[in-house]
Amino acid sequence: MKRILQLVVTRWLARTPLGLVVLGLAWLFMRKRRARRQQPEGTPALREPGRRDNPYAWRGPAAGNRR
């Protein structure tokens, strides 16, 4: 029943430009909400690229010790 109601409301809102704006904002809000819910609590929000603290990690050809 909930899905049918969502479909009817979505089609009704999609008829006007203002309704499309409302649908877009609701979509963005729900997308962020789902992303926060799926993320485990122990992991940081943003990951940093690379392995900066590991001295044994390969750093590429631009690193020191060139001949």
Side-chain angles (χ1 to χ4, degrees):
M1 185 71 181
K2 181 181 175 183
R3 293 283 182 185
I4 295 172
L5 182 63
Q6 283 179 345
L7 178 69
V8 170
V9 170
T10 302
R11 288 187 55 122
W12 181 72
L13 282 174
R15 291 179 184 174
T16 63
L18 183 62
L20 288 174
V21 169
V22 170
L23 285 175
L25 291 174
W27 177 76
L28 284 174
F29 176 74
M30 292 303 292
R31 185 174 149 199
K32 288 182 180 183
R33 187 175 173 188
R34 281 191 200 118
R36 266 188 278 137
R37 189 183 324 148
Q38 288 180 353
Q39 180 180 357
E41 292 182 17
T43 59
L46 297 174
R47 291 176 38 191
E48 292 185 13
R51 296 173 272 177
R52 296 175 191 242
D53 295 333
N54 188 355
Y56 300 106
W58 185 71
R59 296 174 190 213
N65 298 333
R66 283 191 178 178
R67 291 184 184 185

